[in-house]
Amino acid sequence: MSRAYDLLEARFKKAAILGDALSVLHWDMSAMMPDGGAEARAEQLALLKTLSHETLTGADMADLLAAAKTEALDDWERANLREMHRDWVHAAALPADLVDAMAKAESTCEMIWRQARPTADFAAVLPSLREILNLTIQAGQAKAEALGVDIYDALLDQYEPDGRSADIDAVFADLETFLPDFIGQALEAQAARPEPQLPAGPFPVENQKQLGQHIMAVLGFDFHHGRQDVSAHPFCGGYPEDVRITTRYNTDDFTTALMGVIHETGHALYDFGLPTGKWRYQPVGRARGMQMHESQSLLMEMQACRSRGFAGFAAPLMQETFNGTGSAWQPENLYRLGTRVKRGFIRVDADECTYPAHVIIRYGLEKALIEGRMDLADLPGAWNDGYRRLLGITPPDDRLGCLQDIHWYGGSWGYFPTYTLGAMSAAQLFAAAKQADPAIETGIARGDFAPLLAWLRTHVHGKGSSLSTRDLLVAATGKPLDAGVFKAHLQKRYLD
Amino acid sequence: MSRAYDLLEARFKKAAILGDALSVLHWDMSAMMPDGGAEARAEQLALLKTLSHETLTGADMADLLAAAKTEALDDWERANLREMHRDWVHAAALPADLVDAMAKAESTCEMIWRQARPTADFAAVLPSLREILNLTIQAGQAKAEALGVDIYDALLDQYEPDGRSADIDAVFADLETFLPDFIGQALEAQAARPEPQLPAGPFPVENQKQLGQHIMAVLGFDFHHGRQDVSAHPFCGGYPEDVRITTRYNTDDFTTALMGVIHETGHALYDFGLPTGKWRYQPVGRARGMQMHESQSLLMEMQACRSRGFAGFAAPLMQETFNGTGSAWQPENLYRLGTRVKRGFIRVDADECTYPAHVIIRYGLEKALIEGRMDLADLPGAWNDGYRRLLGITPPDDRLGCLQDIHWYGGSWGYFPTYTLGAMSAAQLFAAAKQADPAIETGIARGDFAPLLAWLRTHVHGKGSSLSTRDLLVAATGKPLDAGVFKAHLQKRYLD
C-alpha cells in the first residue's frame, strides 16, 4: 500500500511540471512573443495556473497531509512534507475564481504598463493597477487568515517563506539610520579620487553578447542547460535542466548589460545546483526563497564581480572584445567604474550603497497600499516624497518614478524587501565562503570560479528548501542574518 | 439553464488553450531549447497532453454530446458539434496511460533520431522506433474500432478527417501511371534548354533572413502576430494570434531557405485567416485538416511563387539583397532554377514533379508497417527498393533514406499522403482563384498578393472546419478533388 506521503509526491510533481511549463510560457512572453500574442498567452497562463491550483487543493489534501505526518519519513521527506503543507495553505486559501481573475488581471495590467511606462502615463494604467491591488488584498486577507499573520506578511510569505515584516522593519530602520551618513561619506571619498573614465563606445551588441556569454561560462553557466537572450526587463527563468536568462543592451555603455548578465547568472547557478533526482519535482527541491535567490545573484554581481580581483581578470577580456586601449581600460579604472556611487532614480541601475534606499521606499509604499493606509491615486506623489526624503532627488516623471518596476503591475506585492535581505545575505555568505576557502578569492582574480561554486553548491544550492532561510544562513555562516557584515562590506569597499 | 452544447463549448475551449500552450512548448523545443532540456520538456508535453485528453473524456461527455444533438443549434454550432464529436471519438478511444506513454515515447524517440540521423545510424533508433510503432498500432486499433474503419484509416483520420485509403489508393495509382513517363518527358524538355545558372554565393544568413522576411510581408505575414526563426526542421506552429514559422539556411544556395519560408508562410496565412471571435477556441474554428493546410503552403510555394510572374517581381529584390549581377540573376534564369526537375533522395528538397513519388513510397511503407505486413528491421531495405522502383535511384545511406523525415520518429503515422493530396488541392484552388479574379495573377507579378489572399480568406481560411474537405473543395472550385487539374498544371509548366 502506498503511503499518503507518496500520493502527495505525485501531486506535487504534477504541480511542479505545470510550473515548469508556465515558466517557459512566461519566458517566451518576455523574450520572444510578438505583441499581438498577449491575449492568447494570458488565456494559457490563467488556465495552467488554475490547473496547478486545482492540483494542490483536492478535497482530500488536508487528510493526506495529516496522514503523511504520522508516517515514517526520513529527514528530507519530512522537510518536503513541511513545504508541501506550506504550498497547500497558500493554494487552499484562494478560491479558484480568484486565481483565474488574478492571472488574467496580471497579464492585462502588465501589457498596459508596457505601453504606459515609456510615455510616463500612470493614469493610463491606474484602473488596471487598482484591479490588481484589489485582488491582491483579497488574496492577502484570505492567506492572512489561513497563516495567522498580518496581510502584508501573508503576501511576503509567498516569496520569502516565514519572512515577517517585524524583522524587516528592524533591519530597515537600522539601514535608514546608517545609510544617509554612509552615502554622504562614500560620495565624499569618491570625490577625493580622480573621476573614473567611461570607455568610449559605441559597443556593438554582438560583441557585448560574446563577452557576456564568455563570462557566463567562466562563472559556471552551462549552455547545454540554458540560454541567454534579450528582453526589456532582464530576468532569470526556467528550471534546473533549462535555465533562461535575459539581458538588455546599451550600445553606449557595455557594463550595464555585463553586470546584468552576471547578476542573472548568479540566479541561474542557484537553479543549476538545486537537488536533482528524487527531489527535482518536489517542493523541498526548490530554491529556498527570494531572499536566498537574490543573495546568489548579488553575491556574483556585487561581491565577487565588482571586486578588484575580478576587474583584473576581466579587463583584458574587455580590451580584447572592444579593441579597447588607454587608461579607461585599465583594471583600476574599471573597478572604480563598477563601484561608483550615485543617487539615481532607477532601482535596477543603482549601486549597492543607494540600492537599499530604493527598496525601503517601495516597501513602505506597498505596505501602506496593502494595509489600506494610502490610495493608489496618491502613489506618484508619495513615491516622489520618498525619493526626496531618502535620496534627496525628485523624479521628473513617473517613468523614472513609480512606473519603473514591473512588480506591482504584474501582481508581485510583498516582494521588494527580499532584494535588500538578499544583498545582506550575499555579503554574509561571501565573507563566510572566503574565510572557509582562501582559494575562492584568488580563484576569482584568475577567472576560476570553481572554488566559489563548490562552496555555494554545498552550502546553499544543494540544500534546496530542506532548511529555513534562517537555518540555512546559520549552517552556512554560523549565524542568522547580520546587517553588520553588509555594513562592514560597504565601509571597507567605499570608505577605505 | 445552459444548453449541453454550451457546456461542451467551455470544455473544448479548455482543450484548445492547452493545445495552444503545447504548440508554444513544441516550437520552443525545436527552435530555442538547449539540448539538456529535453527530458523536462517531455514531462511537460506528456502532462499537458494527458490533461487535454482528460478534458475531452469526462464520464459525462457521451451524454452531453447526445443531449446537444437535440438542442436548437445554428449551422456553425451544428458543424462545431460534429467536430466535437469527432475529437471525442478520437480521444475516448485511448486510455490515459496510452496517451502518456505515447507522448513520452515520442519525445524520447525524437531526441534519439536527432542524434542518429547525422550519422546514418538506423540501428540506434530502431528500438525506440519499435516502441513508437507498437504504441501507434495500439492506438490505431482502438480508434479503428471506435470509428468503424481500418487501422490505417483510423490513423489517417487524425490528420485528414474522413480521409480514406481507398480513395488515396485510386489517386496514387493514377499518379504512379502518370509520373514515370511524365518525369522522363520533363527531364527531356529540360535537357533541351540551356542549364539554369546557380547564382554564386556565399549568401550571408543575415541577408537571407532580411529577404525572407521582406517576402513574408509581401505575402501577407503579420509580424505583430508572428515570428520567423531557425530550426533544423522547418515548420509552422502557433495559433492565429501568434504564428511561428522556422527556416534553415544554406549559405551556398539562398533559394532553399527562401522557398521554405514561402511554404511555411502559406501555412501561416491559413492560421491567420481562421475564424475569430466566438469560434477561435472551438473545433469548427480550426483548420480543416492537413490536406487543406498543405494546399495552402504549396499554393504559395509551388503555384504562386515558382511562377514566371513572381520571378519577375522577386529578381530585383534578390539582386539588391545579394548585390547580384549578371545573367544568373535574370528572372527567366531564376524561374528555370525554381522549376528544375531532378530525381533526388530528400523529400523536402524535391521538385513538384518528383515529390509525389516520395510520398507514394512512404505511404506504402507506413501502411505495410501499420498493418503488420512488414517488420521495422526491414524498413531501410524496403525504402531503398521503393526509390529504385519509382525514381531509379538508390540512397547511399539511411541519412538520405529512411532517417530523413521526422514524422515516424515523432509519432506521426498516417500523415504522409496529405502532402500529395495537398499539392493536388493547391493546383485546383489556384486554378479556380485565377479564373474567379484575373487580378490575382497580375497582382503576383507586381508583388501584390492582396487579391489572392482575399480569395483564400473567403473560400478557404475563413471556413475553418465548417465544411468537410470535400465540400470545401466543391464550394471553392465547383468540384471534388480532381487529379486532372494537377496533371494539367505539371504538363503546362514542364512540357510546354
Side-chain angles (χ1 to χ4, degrees), chain A residues 215-216 218-219 258-259 261-263 265-266 269 297-314 318 334-335 338-339 352 430 444 447 449 452 493:
Chain A
I215 298 223
M216 286 169 71
V218 164
L219 266 54
L258 181 62
M259 297 318 292
V261 160
I262 291 171
H263 180 98
T265 299
L269 294 171
S297 53
L298 290 173
L299 191 153
M300 282 298 161
E301 183 200 346
M302 294 295 180
Q303 301 289 327
C305 296
R306 290 191 196 264
S307 65
R308 272 207 175 78
F310 186 77
F313 161 72
M318 295 172 179
L334 293 166
Y335 168 73
T339 53
E352 61 183 329
F430 193 58
I444 290 169
F449 279 72
L452 173 58
R493 182 173 279 175

Coordinates of all heavy atoms in Angstrom, one line a residue, chain A residues 215-216 218-219 258-259 261-263 265-266 269 297-314 318 334-335 338-339 352 430 444 447 449 452 493:
Chain A
I215 N 31.9 35.3 -20.1 CA 31.9 35.5 -18.7 C 30.9 34.6 -18.0 O 31.2 34.0 -16.9 CB 31.7 37.0 -18.3 CG1 32.9 37.7 -18.9 CG2 31.6 37.1 -16.8 CD1 33.6 38.7 -18.1
M216 N 29.7 34.4 -18.6 CA 28.8 33.4 -18.1 C 29.4 32.0 -17.9 O 29.3 31.4 -16.9 CB 27.6 33.3 -19.0 CG 26.6 34.5 -18.9 SD 25.4 34.4 -20.3 CE 24.3 33.0 -19.7
V218 N 32.6 31.4 -17.7 CA 33.6 31.5 -16.7 C 33.0 31.3 -15.3 O 33.5 30.6 -14.4 CB 34.4 32.8 -16.7 CG1 35.1 33.1 -15.4 CG2 35.3 32.9 -17.9
L219 N 31.8 31.9 -15.1 CA 31.1 31.8 -13.8 C 30.6 30.4 -13.6 O 30.2 30.0 -12.4 CB 30.0 32.8 -13.7 CG 30.3 34.1 -13.1 CD1 31.6 34.8 -13.7 CD2 29.1 35.1 -13.2
L258 N 26.6 43.8 -19.0 CA 27.5 42.8 -18.5 C 27.2 42.5 -17.0 O 27.2 41.3 -16.6 CB 29.0 43.3 -18.7 CG 30.0 42.3 -18.2 CD1 29.9 40.9 -18.9 CD2 31.4 42.8 -18.3
M259 N 27.1 43.6 -16.2 CA 26.8 43.3 -14.8 C 25.4 42.7 -14.6 O 25.2 41.9 -13.7 CB 26.9 44.6 -14.0 CG 28.3 45.2 -14.0 SD 29.7 44.0 -13.8 CE 29.5 43.5 -12.1
V261 N 24.1 40.6 -16.8 CA 24.3 39.2 -17.2 C 24.9 38.4 -16.0 O 24.5 37.3 -15.7 CB 25.3 39.1 -18.4 CG1 25.9 37.7 -18.5 CG2 24.5 39.4 -19.7
I262 N 25.9 39.0 -15.3 CA 26.5 38.4 -14.1 C 25.5 38.2 -13.0 O 25.4 37.1 -12.4 CB 27.7 39.2 -13.7 CG1 28.8 39.1 -14.7 CG2 28.2 38.7 -12.3 CD1 30.0 40.1 -14.5
H263 N 24.6 39.2 -12.8 CA 23.6 39.1 -11.8 C 22.6 37.9 -12.1 O 22.4 37.0 -11.2 CB 22.8 40.4 -11.8 CG 21.7 40.4 -10.8 ND1 21.8 41.0 -9.6 CD2 20.4 40.0 -10.9 CE1 20.6 40.9 -8.9 NE2 19.8 40.3 -9.7
T265 N 23.2 35.4 -14.0 CA 24.0 34.1 -13.9 C 24.0 33.6 -12.5 O 24.0 32.4 -12.2 CB 25.4 34.3 -14.5 OG1 25.2 34.7 -15.9 CG2 26.2 33.0 -14.4
G266 N 24.1 34.6 -11.5 CA 24.1 34.2 -10.1 C 22.8 33.4 -9.8 O 22.8 32.4 -9.1
L269 N 22.9 29.9 -11.5 CA 23.8 28.9 -10.9 C 23.1 28.3 -9.7 O 23.2 27.1 -9.4 CB 25.1 29.6 -10.4 CG 26.0 30.1 -11.6 CD1 27.2 30.9 -11.0 CD2 26.5 28.9 -12.4
S297 N 22.4 36.0 -6.8 CA 22.7 36.9 -7.9 C 23.6 38.1 -7.4 O 24.5 38.5 -8.1 CB 21.4 37.5 -8.5 OG 20.6 38.1 -7.5
L298 N 23.3 38.6 -6.2 CA 24.1 39.7 -5.7 C 25.5 39.3 -5.2 O 26.4 40.0 -5.3 CB 23.3 40.4 -4.6 CG 22.1 41.2 -5.1 CD1 21.3 41.7 -3.9 CD2 22.5 42.3 -6.0
L299 N 25.6 38.0 -4.8 CA 26.9 37.5 -4.4 C 27.8 37.6 -5.7 O 29.0 38.0 -5.6 CB 26.8 36.1 -3.9 CG 28.0 35.5 -3.2 CD1 27.7 34.5 -2.1 CD2 29.0 34.9 -4.2
M300 N 27.3 37.1 -6.8 CA 28.1 37.1 -8.0 C 28.3 38.5 -8.5 O 29.4 38.9 -8.8 CB 27.4 36.3 -9.1 CG 27.5 34.8 -9.0 SD 29.3 34.3 -9.1 CE 29.1 32.7 -8.4
E301 N 27.2 39.3 -8.6 CA 27.4 40.6 -9.2 C 28.1 41.6 -8.2 O 29.1 42.2 -8.6 CB 26.0 41.2 -9.5 CG 26.1 42.6 -10.2 CD 24.9 43.5 -10.1 OE1 23.8 43.0 -9.7 OE2 25.0 44.7 -10.4
M302 N 27.6 41.7 -7.0 CA 28.2 42.8 -6.2 C 29.4 42.3 -5.4 O 30.4 43.1 -5.3 CB 27.1 43.2 -5.1 CG 25.9 43.9 -5.8 SD 26.4 45.5 -6.6 CE 24.8 46.0 -7.2
Q303 N 29.4 41.1 -4.9 CA 30.5 40.7 -4.0 C 31.7 40.2 -4.9 O 32.8 40.7 -4.7 CB 30.1 39.6 -3.1 CG 28.9 40.0 -2.1 CD 29.4 41.0 -1.1 OE1 30.5 40.9 -0.6 NE2 28.5 41.9 -0.7
A304 N 31.4 39.3 -5.8 CA 32.5 38.6 -6.5 C 33.0 39.5 -7.7 O 34.2 39.7 -7.9 CB 32.1 37.3 -7.0
C305 N 32.1 40.0 -8.5 CA 32.5 40.6 -9.8 C 32.6 42.1 -9.8 O 32.9 42.7 -10.8 CB 31.5 40.1 -10.8 SG 31.7 38.3 -11.1
R306 N 32.3 42.8 -8.7 CA 32.7 44.2 -8.6 C 34.0 44.3 -7.7 O 34.2 45.4 -7.2 CB 31.6 45.1 -8.1 CG 30.4 45.2 -9.1 CD 29.4 46.2 -8.6 NE 28.1 46.0 -9.4 CZ 27.8 46.7 -10.5 NH1 28.6 47.6 -11.0 NH2 26.6 46.5 -11.1
S307 N 34.7 43.3 -7.6 CA 35.9 43.3 -6.8 C 37.1 43.7 -7.6 O 37.1 43.6 -8.9 CB 36.2 41.9 -6.2 OG 36.4 41.0 -7.2
R308 N 38.2 44.2 -7.0 CA 39.4 44.5 -7.7 C 40.0 43.2 -8.4 O 40.5 43.3 -9.5 CB 40.5 45.0 -6.7 CG 40.4 46.5 -6.5 CD 41.8 47.0 -6.1 NE 41.7 48.5 -6.1 CZ 41.1 49.1 -5.0 NH1 40.6 48.5 -4.0 NH2 41.0 50.5 -5.1
G309 N 39.8 42.1 -7.7 CA 40.4 40.9 -8.3 C 39.7 40.6 -9.6 O 40.4 40.3 -10.6
F310 N 38.4 40.6 -9.7 CA 37.7 40.3 -10.9 C 38.0 41.4 -12.0 O 38.1 41.0 -13.2 CB 36.2 40.2 -10.7 CG 35.4 39.8 -11.9 CD1 35.4 38.5 -12.2 CD2 34.7 40.7 -12.7 CE1 34.7 38.0 -13.4 CE2 34.0 40.3 -13.8 CZ 34.0 38.9 -14.1
A311 N 38.1 42.6 -11.6 CA 38.4 43.7 -12.6 C 39.8 43.3 -13.3 O 39.9 43.5 -14.5 CB 38.5 45.0 -11.9
G312 N 40.7 42.8 -12.5 CA 42.0 42.4 -13.0 C 41.9 41.3 -14.0 O 42.6 41.3 -15.1
F313 N 41.0 40.4 -13.8 CA 40.8 39.3 -14.7 C 40.0 39.7 -15.9 O 40.3 39.3 -17.1 CB 40.0 38.1 -14.0 CG 39.4 37.2 -14.9 CD1 40.1 36.3 -15.7 CD2 38.0 37.2 -15.1 CE1 39.6 35.4 -16.6 CE2 37.4 36.3 -16.1 CZ 38.2 35.4 -16.8
A314 N 39.0 40.5 -15.7 CA 38.1 40.9 -16.8 C 38.6 41.9 -17.8 O 38.2 42.0 -18.9 CB 36.7 41.3 -16.3
M318 N 37.8 42.5 -21.8 CA 37.0 43.6 -22.3 C 37.8 44.4 -23.4 O 37.3 44.8 -24.4 CB 36.7 44.6 -21.1 CG 35.8 44.0 -20.1 SD 35.7 45.1 -18.6 CE 34.5 44.2 -17.6
L334 N 38.4 50.4 -14.3 CA 37.2 49.6 -14.5 C 36.6 49.3 -13.1 O 35.4 49.3 -12.9 CB 37.5 48.4 -15.3 CG 37.8 48.6 -16.8 CD1 38.4 47.4 -17.4 CD2 36.6 49.1 -17.5
Y335 N 37.4 49.0 -12.1 CA 37.0 48.7 -10.8 C 36.2 50.0 -10.2 O 35.2 49.9 -9.7 CB 38.1 48.3 -9.9 CG 37.8 48.3 -8.4 CD1 37.0 47.3 -7.9 CD2 38.2 49.4 -7.6 CE1 36.6 47.3 -6.5 CE2 37.9 49.4 -6.2 CZ 37.1 48.4 -5.7 OH 36.7 48.4 -4.4
G338 N 32.9 50.4 -11.7 CA 31.9 49.4 -11.2 C 31.5 49.6 -9.8 O 30.6 49.0 -9.3
T339 N 32.2 50.5 -9.1 CA 31.8 50.8 -7.7 C 31.5 52.3 -7.5 O 31.6 52.8 -6.4 CB 33.0 50.3 -6.8 OG1 34.2 50.9 -7.2 CG2 33.1 48.8 -6.8
E352 N 25.3 49.5 -5.0 CA 24.9 48.7 -3.8 C 24.7 49.6 -2.6 O 24.1 49.2 -1.6 CB 25.9 47.6 -3.5 CG 27.3 48.0 -3.3 CD 28.2 46.8 -3.1 OE1 27.8 45.7 -2.6 OE2 29.4 47.0 -3.4
F430 N 29.3 35.5 1.3 CA 30.6 35.6 0.6 C 31.7 35.7 1.7 O 32.8 35.1 1.5 CB 30.6 36.9 -0.3 CG 31.7 36.9 -1.2 CD1 31.9 35.9 -2.2 CD2 32.6 38.0 -1.2 CE1 33.0 36.0 -3.1 CE2 33.6 38.1 -2.1 CZ 33.9 37.1 -3.1
I444 N 38.9 33.9 -8.1 CA 38.1 34.9 -8.8 C 39.1 35.8 -9.6 O 38.8 36.2 -10.7 CB 37.3 35.7 -7.8 CG1 36.2 34.8 -7.3 CG2 36.7 37.0 -8.5 CD1 35.4 35.4 -6.1
G447 N 39.9 34.2 -12.8 CA 38.7 33.8 -13.6 C 38.4 32.3 -13.3 O 37.8 31.6 -14.1
F449 N 36.2 30.2 -11.0 CA 35.1 30.3 -10.1 C 34.7 29.0 -9.5 O 33.8 28.9 -8.7 CB 33.8 30.9 -10.8 CG 33.9 32.4 -10.8 CD1 34.8 33.1 -11.7 CD2 33.1 33.2 -10.0 CE1 34.8 34.5 -11.7 CE2 33.1 34.6 -10.0 CZ 34.0 35.2 -10.9
L452 N 34.6 28.9 -5.5 CA 33.4 29.6 -5.0 C 32.1 28.8 -5.3 O 31.3 28.5 -4.4 CB 33.2 31.0 -5.7 CG 32.0 31.7 -5.4 CD1 31.8 32.0 -3.9 CD2 32.0 33.1 -6.1
R493 N 34.7 48.7 1.3 CA 34.8 48.9 -0.2 C 34.8 50.4 -0.5 O 35.5 50.9 -1.4 CB 33.7 48.2 -1.0 CG 33.9 48.4 -2.5 CD 32.9 47.5 -3.3 NE 33.4 46.1 -3.4 CZ 32.6 45.2 -4.0 NH1 31.4 45.4 -4.4 NH2 33.1 43.9 -4.2

